[in-house]
Amino acid sequence: MGALIGLIVVIVSILFLDWCYKVYKRNKQLEKIPGPWPIPFFGYKLPTNVFDLMRMFDDLTKKYGKTCKLYIGESLHVVTCDANLIEQVMKSNVHINKTKLYDISKPWLKDGLIVSAGDKWRQRRKLCIPSFHFSVIKNFFKIFKRSSETLIKRLGEQADKYVEIDAREFISKFSFEVIAESSFGIRMNVQNDENQDYIKSVDKYTEIIFTRAFSVWKRFDILFKLFSEDFKMHKSSLDIIDGVSKKIIQNKRDEYENGNVTEIKKNTSLIDQLMHNAKLPDDGVYEETNNFLFAGYDTTTTSLCFTLFELSKRMDVQEKLYEEIKLTLNNDFSKLSHENLNSMKYLDQVIKEMLRFRSPVPLIERVLEEDFKLGDIIYPKGTAITMLLYWLHRQEDYYPDPEKFDPERFNADNPQPPTFAYVPFSAGPRNCIGKNYALTEIKTVITRIIMEFIIEPVVGAKLELGLAGLLYSKYGFPIKIKKR
Ligand code: HEM
């Protein structure tokens, strides 16, 4: 027994010394970057819930300024909201790979565009780009318009009652319907209460992986399987998502093989682009269509919900928007085209400001593939660069009075922030491939809502933000709507 204890003490001591040596070596290289001293083996003590995580980054940026270093276990993270450092990382063609944080999504997203690395990522990115060509977005635009009409009906029912609603309940179904149709080429009609199992499974699964990603212990597969009460739900949700996706892909494959796909269809959805033009096998089609669904669903939902919530508090902004829309469309939504949507300058300012103020993707990460020099600091290979987009967008030197929601910041007559101080869609080779898709969708539906309704605040509505992969609102998005 004594010998066993002795052996354990020796092993722990060796591991401890090894840990200290690694941390010491890296700390020496980055001694100019401040940061909290790590707890042996654990590194920085991560909070256990998404709201404390948000506060943790608030506190770190207040205490250490734009850049600090942090250990998670023995993995070194340089956490930054410095536009210069962010620019060098985002622009790089070398440091394009993601960190382990993203692996949590692999059971569903496999090795698709969001997580894949190196040559596989390059090849897939090339195959997917044609789906976001201007002419294809024009086709998606028809889907946005059609689903907006259903949304207006659903919201109209609530406006008649003039009761408090959580915007998320309606917006999430709208966003899901359009992204599912754009990815898979089929109408899911979730706004009319069809396919509820599928959307619920995607919601549940997404929630679980986002909370896992930032949990100290749930990140580890074995601990998650053995001890987390979420594991069963994780598995059953994934089974449903898997089943539906595979069935859609099989049906589409059959359609192709039977020659039932018309020319127009071939140009409308990602699945057609991947199967017909790129000749990708079914597992590749699975990866990319599901990656798009994942990347495009919650991001646009979150953006739209925050837009409505912020607009509810700003009648002046709503009225200015309404005037612009009236002038452009003469109160006839059927006149809305891809071109006149892009001509509305104030609408553009409002959406830009919302993406700054409530950046839906609060942070992203890259791993350094080789030593990386900036100024007189050499960041060692293997370091994770955590880019704090949410906090970058509220640095006072880039944005005076950052806690104010003010679309005038993006009025072209006013001084604009440095290019890499505004990156809600990331930038460089690994930027968001769906940026134009997302902006067109958001602008279409906001235009439609503002034409039809006045959005009012709910008295006493509280806002508490969390970092759950995406920006998360604890109390949802309470608003009231009234017909114009
Ligand atoms: C307002 C809505 C959106 C925001 C704020 C947003 C933001 C981002 C950001 C910040 C990234 C970089 C992620 C990283 O480096 O880890 C990204 C990547 C990506 N986004 Fe979006 N996104 C939005 C909507 C969409 C939509 C609608 C789609 C698809 C239709 C989409 C598809 C993707 C894909 C596939 C990637 C991975 C690209 C790659 O690694 O090559 N996103 N997005």
Side-chain angles (χ1 to χ4, degrees):
M1 188 65 177
L4 184 65
I5 294 174
L7 185 67
I8 293 172
V9 170
V10 170
I11 292 173
V12 172
S13 307
I14 292 172
L15 289 175
F16 178 66
L17 289 174
D18 178 59
W19 183 88
C20 288
Y21 173 70
K22 282 183 187 146
V23 169
Y24 170 80
K25 207 172 108 191
R26 293 200 198 118
N27 262 2
K28 192 96 193 107
Q29 280 172 296
L30 293 182
E31 63 190 352
K32 288 196 180 133
I33 299 180
W37 191 247
I39 304 164
F41 302 120
F42 288 99
Y44 192 69
K45 189 175 167 293
L46 287 177
T48 50
N49 70 62
V50 297
F51 309 103
D52 286 342
L53 195 63
M54 198 78 193
R55 279 188 278 274
M56 177 187 105
F57 286 115
D58 277 343
D59 295 344
L60 284 171
T61 49
K62 272 188 200 120
K63 183 162 180 197
Y64 296 107
K66 283 196 177 120
T67 304
C68 72
K69 61 177 181 280
L70 207 69
Y71 285 87
I72 298 176
E74 61 170 42
S75 150
L76 171 61
H77 290 243
V78 168
V79 178
T80 185
C81 40
D82 176 353
N84 191 21
L85 177 54
I86 287 178
E87 172 171 5
Q88 300 314 316
V89 176
M90 282 186 180
K91 275 196 333 203
S92 163
N93 274 306
V94 176
H95 310 295
I96 52 165
N97 295 335
K98 309 275 174 92
T99 60
K100 287 201 163 45
L101 180 74
Y102 295 75
D103 287 355
I104 248 95
S105 64
K106 280 192 168 176
W108 177 21
L109 304 179
K110 320 253 185 253
D111 205 16
L113 206 56
I114 296 170
V115 201
S116 59
D119 287 343
K120 172 158 185 192
W121 168 74
R122 281 194 188 84
Q123 182 219 358
R124 286 289 173 84
R125 176 104 185 174
K126 238 191 218 158
L127 296 184
C128 291
I129 279 180
S131 290
F132 292 95
H133 187 267
F134 186 73
S135 63
V136 182
I137 302 248
K138 264 184 146 176
N139 274 322
F140 289 144
F141 177 65
K142 290 179 201 144
I143 303 176
F144 306 155
K145 271 181 96 171
R146 182 168 15 86
S147 283
S148 294
E149 286 314 307
T150 319
L151 176 65
I152 293 303
K153 262 193 218 140
R154 296 285 157 268
L155 291 178
E157 291 155 13
Q158 303 305 314
D160 290 342
K161 295 185 216 153
Y162 191 55
V163 287
E164 172 185 336
I165 58 165
D166 180 354
R168 195 179 164 95
E169 204 182 301
F170 299 87
I171 295 294
S172 61
K173 288 186 179 171
F174 161 82
S175 302
F176 191 85
E177 195 167 281
V178 296
I179 193 73
E181 187 167 349
S182 314
S183 300
F184 291 119
I186 59 164
R187 283 187 206 168
M188 291 252 169
N189 281 329
V190 290
Q191 294 193 93
N192 289 328
D193 289 339
E194 291 173 27
N195 291 297
Q196 296 302 299
D197 273 4
Y198 186 50
I199 182 172
K200 277 187 194 143
S201 302
V202 171
D203 279 341
K204 198 69 223 167
Y205 189 84
T206 312
E207 188 191 317
I208 293 172
I209 59 172
F210 279 152
T211 40
R212 259 192 91 186
F214 294 101
S215 156
V216 186
W217 63 273
K218 284 189 204 165
R219 306 160 151 235
F220 299 102
D221 283 345
I222 182 83
L223 298 180
F224 181 62
K225 267 184 203 161
L226 288 175
F227 301 115
S228 173
E229 56 198 21
D230 286 341
F231 177 67
K232 258 196 188 153
M233 183 58 93
H234 177 272
K235 192 171 171 323
S236 59
S237 308
L238 187 56
D239 287 346
I240 293 175
I241 300 171
D242 229 37
V244 175
S245 309
K246 284 184 178 151
K247 199 164 151 216
I248 297 172
I249 293 169
Q250 186 54 52
N251 288 347
K252 181 61 88 173
R253 183 66 73 199
D254 293 345
E255 267 186 55
Y256 269 104
E257 278 163 14
N258 298 331
N260 290 342
V261 181
T262 65
E263 276 313 306
I264 296 170
K265 264 185 160 181
K266 281 177 189 166
N267 206 11
T268 49
S269 60
L270 182 71
I271 195 168
D272 288 314
Q273 152 65 15
L274 297 175
M275 266 192 193
H276 179 259
N277 300 337
K279 306 274 182 271
L280 215 58
D282 286 1
D283 54 348
V285 174
Y286 177 101
E287 280 178 349
E288 300 314 340
T289 45
N290 280 281
N291 269 259
F292 275 70
L293 187 80
F294 174 78
Y297 165 45
D298 239 3
T299 46
T300 44
T301 302
T302 304
S303 312
L304 282 166
C305 289
F306 274 114
T307 309
L308 295 178
F309 189 70
E310 291 309 324
L311 286 177
S312 75
K313 294 183 278 179
R314 290 293 299 273
M315 225 38 89
D316 57 329
V317 176
Q318 277 189 62
E319 281 318 298
K320 213 170 158 183
L321 256 182
Y322 183 60
E323 286 310 312
E324 184 180 61
I325 295 168
K326 247 184 10 188
L327 205 69
T328 313
L329 302 183
N330 206 7
N331 246 345
D332 180 359
F333 187 61
S334 67
K335 288 202 183 114
L336 187 72
S337 65
H338 198 206
E339 288 73 22
N340 61 26
L341 190 68
N342 287 326
S343 75
M344 287 192 255
K345 290 207 170 82
Y346 192 64
L347 175 65
D348 189 58
Q349 284 173 224
V350 171
I351 304 305
K352 273 201 177 117
E353 173 63 349
M354 179 278 301
L355 291 168
R356 175 199 75 83
F357 191 54
R358 300 289 178 224
S359 308
V361 184
L363 67 80
I364 60 173
E365 290 197 330
R366 292 283 181 285
V367 63
L368 293 181
E369 295 298 314
E370 51 189 49
D371 284 1
F372 164 75
K373 187 167 187 298
L374 185 64
D376 54 355
I377 299 179
I378 298 176
Y379 299 81
K381 178 180 172 178
T383 304
I385 306 289
T386 306
M387 294 175 268
L388 298 181
L389 309 187
Y390 181 88
W391 290 268
L392 167 75
H393 293 155
R394 34 194 19 88
Q395 291 299 305
E396 264 197 280
D397 47 345
Y398 308 140
Y399 299 98
D401 201 2
E403 293 305 328
K404 183 174 175 203
F405 177 79
D406 179 12
E408 285 311 314
R409 286 178 207 283
F410 291 104
N411 184 330
D413 295 337
N414 292 330
Q416 296 300 296
T419 312
F420 281 80
Y422 183 73
V423 280
F425 293 98
S426 183
R430 202 133 197 195
N431 74 342
C432 174
I433 198 170
K435 176 180 169 183
N436 289 334
Y437 175 106
L439 288 174
T440 311
E441 176 186 338
I442 293 169
K443 287 179 180 179
T444 308
V445 71
I446 290 297
T447 300
R448 187 66 185 98
I449 292 174
I450 294 296
M451 274 176 71
E452 201 76 18
F453 304 112
I454 294 170
I455 305 153
E456 292 184 349
V458 168
V459 181
K462 287 191 286 184
L463 180 69
E464 186 172 348
L465 298 175
L467 201 174
L470 298 185
L471 194 63
Y472 177 77
S473 166
K474 185 173 185 176
Y475 306 106
F477 301 91
I479 53 169
K480 275 172 122 177
I481 47 176
K482 196 162 88 180
K483 283 219 167 89
R484 276 196 188 273

